[in-house]
């Protein structure tokens, strides 16, 4: 019997290795691209530094943040008080370390709330469209019609000045940002063939949204969320500066700036170091967010 010709080309080990390299997870590929961005790594390092500062604040703070020593007020930076003391003789370095907890807590929680509510509304509006889309979009337009800080002040004025109410206000003003982002993403993703196929086999809308549309919309959420944390920290500091956020004796950076503005000539270090803490934290999140955008956006890749 004649042998059947086998036209299948032989498998070369080098080709297998090359195929495995090409089949790298998109998230691993994004991480490799992120690590190549030096500015993004700098931002990531700054963010990690402040997160560790917040976690280990009780161990790192050299002095009691609430202890007042009026005899030691406005002491300039020294070996005992690296960042000096404020008008009540409290150690500024210790208060900045504990202030990292407050700013990061407000930033992460407010953005998490905005992501959850905004993503839900954006997905519903983009997927179902029609009158549902019209109502939700108009709500977003109304919120965006007000300057963000003025809307936050209005919300806190109604709820009452406190750190918790400031967090709620910051979450509310950021909801339309994520809602519009998810809506535009859903409008494009829902026209893909795999979504059409899922509808054709009778898959429920909830499963399509959770298992198909949402996973393919995570990249822009991550990027926008990182940048939104920086904005939330600034807004928290602004509300604290205006006396509508954290209340005394809470060591919040914006409140520290407000309490020290009268002593900017007499004791400039009381304003300098809280301001630097805000600037570095926001800079870290912005640099990291730009790096994530470059790593996760296919249009930014060669």
């Amino acid at each position: 019997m004649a042998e059947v010709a086998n036209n299948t080309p032989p498998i070369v080990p080098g080709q297998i290795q090359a195929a495995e390299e090409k089949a790298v997870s998109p998230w691993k590929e994004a991480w490799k691209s992120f690590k190549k961005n030096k500015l993004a790594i700098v931002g990531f390092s700054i963010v990690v530094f402040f997160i560790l500062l917040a976690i280990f604040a009780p161990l790192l703070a050299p002095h009691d943040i609430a202890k007042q020593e009026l005899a030691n007020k406005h002491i300039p930076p020294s070996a005992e008080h690296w960042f000096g003391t404020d008008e009540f003789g409290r150690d500024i370095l210790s208060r900045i370390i504990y202030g990292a907890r407050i700013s990061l807590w407000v930033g992460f929680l407010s953005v998490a709330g905005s992501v959850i509510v905004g993503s839900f509304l954006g997905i519903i509006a983009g997927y179902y469209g029609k009158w549902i889309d019209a109502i939700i979009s108009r709500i977003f337009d109304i919120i965006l019609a007000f300057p963000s800080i003025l809307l936050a002040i209005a919300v806190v004025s109604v709820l009452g000045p406190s750190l918790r109410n400031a967090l709620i206000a910051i979450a509310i003003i950021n909801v339309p940002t994520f809602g519009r982002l998810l809506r535009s993403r859903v409008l494009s993703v829902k026209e893909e063939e795999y979504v059409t196929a899922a509808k054709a086999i009778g898959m429920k809308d909830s499963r399509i949204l959770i298992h198909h549309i949402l996973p393919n919309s995570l990249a822009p959420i991550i990027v926008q969320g990182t940048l939104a944390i920086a904005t939330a920290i600034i807004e928290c500091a602004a509300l604290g500066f205006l006396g509508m956020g954290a209340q005394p004796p809470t060591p919040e950076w914006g409140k520290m700036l407000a309490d020290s503005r009268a002593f900017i000539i007499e004791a400039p270090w009381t304003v300098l170091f809280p301001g630097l803490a805000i600037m570095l934290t926001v800079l870290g999140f912005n640099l990291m967010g730009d790096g994530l955008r470059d790593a996760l956006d296919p249009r930014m890749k060669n």
Side-chain angles (χ1 to χ4, degrees):
M1 181 180 295
E3 296 183 358
V4 179
N6 186 4
N7 295 325
T8 304
I11 299 177
V12 182
Q15 294 178 346
I16 297 177
Q17 183 178 359
E20 290 177 350
E21 292 177 355
K22 290 182 179 180
V24 176
S25 167
W27 295 105
K28 290 183 179 180
E29 184 180 352
W31 172 242
K32 288 182 179 180
S33 177
F34 181 82
K35 290 192 296 183
K36 294 178 181 178
N37 190 328
K38 294 182 180 180
L39 288 178
I41 293 299
V42 170
F44 178 75
S45 301
I46 294 174
V47 170
V48 171
F49 170 76
F50 277 98
I51 290 176
L52 294 177
L53 207 65
I55 293 174
F56 298 105
L59 300 176
L60 298 175
H63 298 276
D64 185 353
I65 61 172
K67 185 178 181 180
Q68 299 183 11
E69 298 179 1
L70 296 179
N72 295 328
K73 70 176 183 178
H74 288 162
I75 293 179
S78 61
E80 184 179 0
H81 300 282
W82 289 6
F83 288 1
T85 60
D86 61 10
E87 68 273 18
F88 295 107
R90 298 173 297 192
D91 184 65
I92 294 177
L93 174 59
S94 301
R95 292 178 64 79
I96 287 178
I97 291 174
Y98 272 91
R101 279 187 166 187
I102 297 172
S103 294
L104 293 177
W105 177 72
V106 171
F108 281 111
L109 284 187
S110 63
V111 170
S114 301
V115 168
I116 293 172
V117 177
S119 298
F120 174 77
L121 295 176
I123 287 177
I124 296 299
Y127 187 77
Y128 290 104
K130 298 180 180 179
W131 62 271
I132 297 178
D133 183 18
I135 293 176
I136 295 177
S137 296
R138 295 300 76 77
I139 294 175
F140 291 162
D141 292 339
I142 292 172
I143 296 176
L144 292 172
F146 296 92
S148 59
I149 189 63
L150 292 181
L151 182 58
I153 291 173
V155 173
V156 174
S157 299
V158 173
L159 300 178
S162 70
L163 188 62
R164 184 191 65 179
N165 293 339
L167 189 154
I168 295 173
I170 294 170
I172 291 174
I173 64 179
N174 286 320
V175 165
T177 302
F178 293 97
R180 287 183 134 188
L181 178 65
L182 263 294
R183 176 184 175 274
S184 61
R185 183 66 180 170
V186 170
L187 289 175
S188 61
V189 172
K190 75 175 184 178
E191 303 299 331
E192 298 290 339
E193 294 181 357
Y194 56 86
V195 176
T196 304
K199 292 180 180 178
I201 63 175
M203 185 177 291
K204 294 182 179 179
D205 290 343
S206 58
R207 286 180 58 85
I208 294 175
L209 292 173
I210 295 174
H211 295 284
H212 293 288
I213 292 180
L214 186 59
N216 287 283
S217 304
L218 287 178
I221 294 177
I222 293 173
V223 174
Q224 185 59 43
T226 306
L227 297 173
I229 292 174
T231 304
I233 291 174
I234 293 177
E235 290 165 345
C236 176
L239 290 173
F241 186 85
L242 296 173
M244 308 193 74
Q247 301 300 305
T250 305
E252 194 273 323
W253 294 338
K255 184 61 178 173
M256 291 174 67
L257 287 175
D259 294 339
S260 304
R261 68 184 185 275
F263 312 104
I264 191 171
I265 303 298
E266 176 186 350
W269 57 87
T270 60
V271 177
L272 174 64
F273 293 113
L276 284 176
I278 297 172
M279 184 201 72
L280 287 175
T281 308
V282 172
L283 177 64
F285 278 105
N286 282 334
L287 291 177
M288 190 172 72
D290 290 340
L292 288 173
R293 180 199 60 199
D294 296 343
L296 296 174
D297 191 348
R299 294 172 297 179
M300 304 298 293
K301 300 176 182 178
N302 294 326

